[in-house]
Amino acid sequence: MENKKQCAMDTRDLVTLLADLAEQIEMLIGKKGTISVFRYAGKQMGKRLGAGQPGDAEMARGIVAKFFQDKEFMDGVALQGNHAELQGCRIGLVLKERGIQAGSHALCNFGFGLIDGVTEAVTGHKIITLHVSSEYHEEGVTCHETW
């Protein structure tokens, strides 16, 4: 039998691939269109994640935090009221390498849409997540969001 090498994609590879995809889509439909498409996709995924789990905003935020951490998009997610602190954001690191500010890219908007979709599915209330700021430091990128 031939010994085949397994090539697993890690989170960084996936984020890089999605950033490349976003760049290609942006060439076709522009930056605003790409942001809209990614935000919509995130919201639809969020609605699926939260489906059938009625609860409060705290429960919705817990679902979002677990998703981000399970998929290794973030090292940690701190939630307080209508604010989120995303620690060790892998998306922000890939964007930084490309000279793009975190928070304005289509991939960031996918995450914002995901938060919106889970919250709507769980609580029945619509929110719009917005980027507040990003901090770059030795440990990575910390992003602050609100809704």
Side-chain angles (χ1 to χ4, degrees):
M1 296 210 43
E2 186 177 317
N3 193 6
K4 292 186 180 182
K5 182 180 176 184
Q6 293 288 332
C7 291
M9 286 186 90
D10 66 9
T11 301
R12 183 177 200 71
D13 295 331
L14 179 60
V15 170
T16 300
L17 176 65
L18 291 171
D20 291 343
L21 179 63
E23 286 178 12
Q24 293 301 308
I25 293 170
E26 188 174 322
M27 285 192 287
L28 296 171
I29 63 174
K31 183 175 179 120
K32 287 182 182 181
T34 304
I35 286 172
S36 293
V37 166
F38 273 73
R39 191 168 191 123
Y40 174 81
K43 188 169 185 176
Q44 295 309 304
M45 179 180 248
K47 285 180 179 180
R48 288 183 186 102
L49 283 172
Q53 301 184 66
D56 60 8
E58 188 77 20
M59 181 180 175
R61 292 179 191 121
I63 293 168
V64 170
K66 183 173 178 2
F67 174 83
F68 284 148
Q69 289 176 300
D70 285 352
K71 302 300 179 200
E72 298 180 348
F73 287 123
M74 314 289 161
D75 289 336
V77 180
L79 303 165
Q80 184 175 358
N82 290 351
H83 303 282
E85 180 178 279
L86 312 174
Q87 302 136 355
C89 177
R90 304 290 187 298
I91 295 168
L93 288 175
V94 169
L95 296 178
K96 181 181 179 190
E97 290 171 359
R98 294 170 179 237
I100 300 168
Q101 179 67 35
S104 62
H105 194 268
L107 288 182
C108 301
N109 279 273
F110 178 88
F112 304 156
L114 186 104
I115 294 167
D116 297 347
V118 168
T119 302
E120 185 176 335
V122 172
T123 68
H125 296 102
K126 290 185 178 189
I127 63 167
I128 298 174
T129 301
L130 303 170
H131 179 71
V132 176
S133 65
S134 295
E135 301 165 13
Y136 296 91
H137 41 81
E138 278 186 37
E139 298 82 33
V141 181
T142 300
C143 294
H144 301 274
E145 320 303 337
T146 191
W147 48 86

